[in-house]
Amino acid sequence: MIHHMTFKMAIPRVMFVFFTLVSVCYGFSDNPTAPPVFQVDLDLQPSVRWGHIIQKYHQIVKDSHAVIRSKVPEKLIPIAEFIAADFDNLLEQPYADELRGIALTANMSLGDIVLTNLVYDISAFCTSITMQDAHGQIWHARNLDYSFTDILRNLTVRIDFMKNKQVSYSVVTYAGYVGVLTGQRPHAFAITLDERDQGAWYDNLLVALLERKVKPVSFLIRDTLAQAKDFTAALEMINSTVTAAEGYFIVSGANKGEGAVITKNRVGHNDIWRLDPTNGRWFEVETNYDHWTSPPASDNRRAPAIKSMNSMGQNNITVDSLFNVLSTPLVLNKKTTYSVVMSPAQPELMKVLVRHPTTKN
């Protein structure tokens, strides 16, 4: 016989899963798949370390670049060509040599490789959640939404960056993209970037590159994963670095209370919104709007995410329950390319699924 108290405690979890699955089935038909996993050896020269991945995705990368180039705003193309013409002076290492090596392996122009990397940096729409469970463990969940969705699903990969034959950090990315929007440093922190649309980004990007003292946001995330040793160091590195674009940096650590959303301006003061579990704020949801404002009715992913988190509850956080949250309609949408769940204190729990949602009739 099931103990009465155990049965009562099981009801919220069962009902949460049931209603989440019902809502997902009602809104979408989704057959998620696991992406391929690769290693990038940081002990190799930058120009050759991506070669095995680009060779495998050679034709898809070329096709995707052609489609993206045909659809990007015209203002972006001369910026990409400007960077390619003065490549070594405008881009830092190891990224300049990595991009050069990718262009060579893919038999593509450097301008096209730069163009696609710029598009990835400024066109992501996302949902990221940092949280602490009832036992004090920190978790991180995210959906990444993009235009060019069908192409990017076929390019989604998980990469373990290796140093001295050990995993230095793990990321989810797209073949041919050297920056990072989603990553985890084992036993230290996880980090994701959500785009912050403040307008006039073309001009800001060009000015930033000409200043030569700023860093693309995706390069900053990768540098942070490579260099910062813990949550505190990651926050400091992000907060103190001048970037080429604004953004939301969501960071989750390996210890109690280590969760924050940094609303980052390109220059000037940044807002740091920290978890406060003692006072009831055990999770924070960030989409693509400042957390102190209301999102527009036309793109309110925040409300269903908060509702799903509250329905799940702090006691019921698992990898599967968080994928249920990420599968909530609107949070999961037709532009979602992948979902990921991470917990830096237990890096082996990191799970990535490529999403294939289609609207049901």
Side-chain angles (χ1 to χ4, degrees):
M1 179 179 295
I2 299 177
H3 191 278
H4 179 65
M5 183 60 69
T6 303
F7 180 73
K8 287 180 65 179
M9 292 176 64
I11 288 176
R13 182 181 302 178
V14 172
M15 293 301 288
F16 166 73
V17 173
F18 172 75
F19 283 118
T20 301
L21 289 175
V22 167
S23 64
V24 171
C25 291
Y26 179 79
F28 293 104
S29 172
D30 180 36
N31 296 300
T33 57
V37 180
F38 295 93
Q39 292 183 345
V40 167
D41 189 349
L42 295 171
D43 294 316
L44 295 177
Q45 290 297 313
S47 59
V48 300
R49 60 177 58 146
W50 291 90
H52 60 300
I53 299 174
I54 302 305
Q55 287 174 2
K56 182 176 179 62
Y57 286 89
H58 175 262
Q59 193 57 50
I60 301 176
V61 168
K62 293 192 73 171
D63 292 345
S64 68
H65 282 59
V67 172
I68 291 172
R69 185 180 178 91
S70 72
K71 294 184 178 181
V72 297
E74 290 185 4
K75 284 187 176 182
L76 192 55
I77 294 175
I79 294 177
E81 293 173 346
F82 169 80
I83 295 171
D86 197 15
F87 197 61
D88 291 302
N89 287 324
L90 292 175
L91 288 183
E92 62 187 287
Q93 295 294 353
Y95 305 109
D97 280 350
E98 288 185 355
L99 290 171
R100 185 180 284 108
I102 289 172
L104 183 63
T105 303
N107 192 26
M108 295 176 59
S109 74
L110 194 52
D112 278 346
I113 296 295
V114 170
L115 177 65
T116 304
N117 276 261
L118 290 178
V119 169
Y120 290 160
D121 254 24
I122 48 80
S123 61
F125 286 85
C126 327
T127 300
S128 294
I129 310 171
T130 181
M131 74 210 78
Q132 178 173 301
D133 69 18
H135 304 290
Q137 183 169 338
I138 303 297
W139 296 76
H140 196 115
R142 91 102 104 237
N143 278 355
L144 186 58
D145 306 337
Y146 261 119
S147 300
F148 323 114
T149 309
D150 291 337
I151 293 172
L152 295 180
R153 289 186 182 120
N154 293 326
L155 290 171
T156 301
V157 293
R158 171 179 165 169
I159 296 177
D160 294 330
F161 284 84
M162 311 297 292
K163 189 73 174 175
N164 298 322
K165 299 183 179 180
Q166 300 292 321
V167 177
S168 178
Y169 54 96
S170 300
V171 310
V172 188
T173 188
Y174 305 112
Y177 180 54
V178 301
V180 173
L181 304 177
T182 303
Q184 175 180 258
R185 183 180 175 103
H187 306 291
F189 59 90
I191 183 169
T192 56
L193 176 76
D194 290 4
E195 185 248 357
R196 187 183 188 213
D197 184 7
Q198 293 297 300
W201 61 264
Y202 305 94
D203 297 333
N204 289 340
L205 176 61
L206 187 56
V207 169
L209 289 169
L210 288 172
E211 287 177 0
R212 303 186 185 188
K213 295 181 181 179
V214 302
K215 190 180 291 290
V217 288
S218 61
F219 291 3
L220 173 56
I221 290 183
R222 185 170 157 192
D223 286 353
T224 302
L225 288 165
Q227 299 170 25
K229 302 303 183 184
D230 55 29
F231 172 80
T232 301
L235 285 190
E236 173 58 27
M237 190 168 177
I238 294 166
N239 194 41
S240 62
T241 303
V242 179
T243 51
E246 302 187 354
Y248 303 103
F249 294 76
I250 302 85
V251 189
S252 301
N255 302 300
K256 288 183 178 180
E258 292 186 342
V261 176
I262 301 177
T263 301
K264 186 166 179 55
N265 296 300
R266 196 174 75 78
V267 293
H269 175 73
N270 303 315
D271 176 83
I272 302 179
W273 184 37
R274 295 177 180 266
L275 288 177
D276 188 8
T278 302
N279 292 309
R281 193 166 69 242
W282 57 273
F283 72 88
E284 293 173 349
V285 173
E286 178 56 61
T287 55
N288 299 101
Y289 308 98
D290 296 345
H291 68 84
W292 58 88
T293 65
S294 297
S298 60
D299 185 29
N300 189 358
R301 288 162 283 131
R302 183 194 298 171
I306 290 173
K307 184 176 180 180
S308 289
M309 288 294 294
N310 284 323
S311 296
M312 175 185 63
Q314 193 177 12
N315 289 298
N316 300 318
I317 297 176
T318 65
V319 172
D320 289 342
S321 66
L322 288 175
F323 270 107
N324 285 333
V325 171
L326 295 174
S327 299
T328 304
L330 297 184
V331 180
L332 176 69
N333 57 77
K334 290 186 291 185
K335 291 189 175 182
T336 303
T337 58
Y338 67 77
S339 302
V340 59
V341 172
M342 302 173 280
S343 183
Q346 291 185 266
E348 70 278 4
L349 294 179
M350 182 178 182
K351 183 176 180 180
V352 187
L353 290 176
V354 180
R355 309 307 295 261
H356 305 271
T358 56
T359 303
K360 296 186 71 175
N361 294 325

